Amino acid sequence: MSAPHPFSVAMLLADARLPGGGHAHSAGLEPALLAGMAPADVPVWLRGRARTVSLVEAGTAVVTAHLLSHPPVGTSAQTHLSAVVDAWAARTPSAALREAAHLLGRGYRRVARSLWSHRPPVQALEAWTGPLPRAVVLGAIAAAAGLRSEDVVRLTVYEDAQTAAAALLKLEPLDPLAPAQWVLEACAAAEPHVLRVAACLTPEDIPASGAPQNEGWAEAHALLTQRLFRA
Amino acid sequence: MPDLPQNPDTTTTRPLRLGVAGPVGVGKSSLIATICRALAEELEIGVITNDIYTDEDARFLRSAGVLEPERIRAVETGACPHTAIRDDVTANLLAAEDLAEDFAPLDLVVIESGGDNLTATFSPALVDAQIFVLDVAGGGDVARKGGPGIGRADLLVVNKTDLAPYVGVDVEQMVRDATAARDGRAVIALSRTDEASVTALRSWVLGVLGHYRDGVHVAQDPGPMAPHFHAEGEEHDHEHEHSHAH
């Protein structure tokens, strides 16, 4: 069987209908609204995420893909995974967010195992016994499917914004078409950073552009008993 | 001859996963409490709830005192309880795996769907067997209306039979309608105050568990939607491809 075009794979991964567990997450939106962020601020908040936390995730995926595609001689894939997981965790100080990312990572691992089990980058994940954040699993899929680094960055930014946009419709009354515009604006806000993040090669290169306010909101949200979304 | 289990490495060791679905207010949480109470002596049980707002049902079950509170977990469904048991079961599947690991060895994990409508049923990717719950207070004609859960769940429970005299429902007629809609699949008319009905429920659960352990239980998919009629009178149930739009 011939391989699908990487663009088709990117569309599959960006599609909320892919059963990877994403529908139970709000990409930080429910925590933000419950903490008192005004719904009118969602567009600017989305653009802010696109230039900060999304680039941490994107850089993590890009570096994972690079390391699993071109392993330097003498180092094992497990050593690479360990280094990139540590780099990601250091840039994601909220335990609640790391835990949510691990859950999404497990969902993505099911997807990866089902669709790309024969590819070495995905097989490298099978030997890993600990939790993996979604960005790392995405990187392995990207390496397995031949996604371009720039598109891995764009996919990550889009997916984050669209996850929050879809969640917004469950949390606030509004015209469902309005957030679609905001998603595109968030993607545009990240565009000047795409090539820089796509050029990341080592764990040290991953942007450390977290958003502490989001981290704090996520921690508070994790303690609530009445939630629609996991994080 | 039964089909071979699809995952022989996991099906033999993991607990039986039993889904409980049905419309809002029919007594799904109460039914699960009844199952736990009736089987607590002989089975190790865990429960996962899928309420719209995370943990209402989990809190009800914890307060019922039928299980250790830690064995009852709530899973967020992003306001899509139907999706979480059929189109994307990931969150529930991961929660079921975690529960089984944290309290090993469990015999049974019960997964309660968020209350939905008559069309919500579990995917066999998530549960090995499922109970669909109706209650007499919802109206005696509901069983006749059919739907995938009413027609093809492993067990249909007609709940709250003790209320029948107050809501003017003929329980026997409702059970006859249900049995007819189900081609003879199991139906139990249940009241938690009717000991005989609780015994019947208990026996059914143990029977399914026995078949599961013996490797002869085959998970059934009730299907995503009910058979329906088109203008030309053709009935179908979406198991074949067709070209017209819905």
Side-chain angles (χ1 to χ4, degrees):
Chain A
M1 192 181 74
S2 60
H5 192 281
F7 184 69
S8 300
V9 175
M11 288 194 288
L12 181 83
L13 294 171
D15 192 331
R17 291 168 292 190
L18 180 70
H23 76 95
H25 292 249
S26 76
L29 181 73
E30 188 177 56
L33 293 175
L34 288 176
M37 186 181 82
D41 288 338
V42 169
V44 69
W45 173 82
L46 285 172
R47 296 199 294 277
R49 284 183 69 86
R51 290 188 299 250
T52 56
V53 289
S54 288
L55 299 184
V56 178
E57 298 291 307
T60 302
V62 165
V63 170
T64 303
H66 176 74
L67 293 177
L68 294 182
S69 301
H70 314 284
V73 175
T75 56
S76 76
Q78 301 306 301
T79 309
H80 288 315
L81 282 175
S82 179
V84 77
V85 166
D86 286 351
W88 170 83
R91 289 157 176 76
T92 312
S94 157
L97 283 182
R98 289 199 305 273
E99 199 180 316
H102 288 155
L103 266 182
L104 287 166
R106 281 170 75 185
Y108 253 39
R109 277 172 95 166
R110 292 185 70 237
V111 172
R113 196 179 294 136
S114 171
L115 300 181
W116 293 281
S117 61
H118 56 295
R119 297 298 178 90
V122 168
Q123 288 168 345
L125 301 186
E126 290 304 301
W128 180 268
T129 51
L132 288 171
R134 176 175 57 177
V136 169
V137 185
L138 171 61
I141 293 173
L147 295 196
R148 296 191 315 160
S149 295
E150 302 96 280
D151 291 337
V152 172
V153 179
R154 293 189 179 102
L155 170 64
T156 304
V157 170
Y158 168 83
E159 213 275 338
D160 183 88
Q162 187 63 279
T163 298
L168 182 60
L169 298 175
K170 307 288 167 79
L171 296 167
E172 292 291 331
L174 80 165
D175 175 354
L177 274 176
Q181 177 70 35
W182 305 339
V183 169
L184 289 180
E185 289 169 4
C187 293
E191 196 57 34
H193 305 277
V194 167
L195 291 182
R196 169 173 68 85
V197 177
C200 292
L201 298 177
T202 69
E204 294 74 27
D205 292 343
I206 298 170
S209 52
Q213 181 73 82
N214 279 294
E215 303 262 346
W217 288 340
E219 288 297 310
H221 181 259
L223 300 175
L224 300 176
T225 55
Q226 302 271 299
R227 296 186 300 252
L228 283 180
F229 295 94
R230 182 67 177 73
Chain B
M1 181 177 160
D3 293 333
L4 289 171
Q6 291 182 336
N7 301 304
D9 54 330
T10 54
T11 47
T12 49
T13 54
R14 70 162 172 78
L16 175 77
R17 294 197 292 251
L18 175 65
V20 176
V24 176
V26 295
K28 294 184 293 297
S29 300
S30 170
L31 173 85
I32 291 171
T34 302
I35 289 175
C36 293
R37 208 174 284 121
L39 290 164
E41 296 289 310
E42 54 212 293
L43 297 183
E44 294 292 330
I45 304 175
V47 175
I48 294 167
T49 65
N50 281 191
D51 227 343
I52 304 288
Y53 274 107
T54 316
D55 76 340
E56 186 70 29
D57 288 334
R59 277 189 288 159
F60 168 85
L61 283 166
R62 287 176 193 137
S63 69
V66 293
L67 274 187
E68 296 165 53
E70 306 79 50
R71 292 184 178 217
I72 302 165
R73 290 195 182 154
V75 166
E76 299 86 348
T77 62
C80 298
H82 197 159
T83 301
I85 63 168
R86 172 158 289 278
D87 304 311
D88 183 357
V89 302
T90 309
N92 276 316
L93 207 54
L94 298 184
E97 286 175 9
D98 288 345
L99 204 52
E101 186 177 318
D102 294 347
F103 296 97
L106 284 184
D107 300 296
L108 176 67
V109 172
V110 184
I111 303 171
E112 176 181 2
S113 84
D116 205 333
N117 52 38
L118 292 175
T119 66
T121 58
F122 286 86
S123 163
L126 178 60
V127 300
D128 303 298
Q130 57 192 299
I131 300 174
F132 199 83
V133 189
L134 296 176
D135 73 333
V136 297
D141 58 339
V142 177
R144 223 170 22 244
K145 290 181 178 173
I150 291 173
R152 297 184 291 279
D154 299 84
L155 171 67
L156 178 72
V157 165
V158 176
N159 203 10
K160 309 184 196 174
T161 53
D162 48 313
L163 296 184
Y166 308 104
V167 294
V169 166
D170 178 345
V171 173
E172 285 180 17
Q173 182 63 46
M174 195 170 172
V175 169
R176 270 199 303 277
D177 289 345
T179 306
R182 291 170 57 72
D183 291 334
R185 292 182 185 85
V187 181
I188 292 177
L190 183 78
S191 163
R192 61 183 173 172
T193 59
D194 170 8
E195 217 33 67
S197 70
V198 173
T199 301
L201 175 65
R202 184 180 168 284
S203 302
W204 182 85
V205 173
L206 288 175
V208 173
L209 182 61
H211 284 137
Y212 172 73
R213 284 181 172 156
D214 293 343
V216 296
H217 175 78
V218 179
Q220 303 293 323
D221 188 347
M225 54 195 301
H228 57 267
F229 293 90
H230 290 269
E232 64 271 29
E234 171 208 4
E235 180 182 353
H236 65 196
D237 58 8
H238 287 252
E239 278 164 10
H240 60 276
E241 288 191 26
H242 52 91
S243 56
H244 60 271
H246 282 266

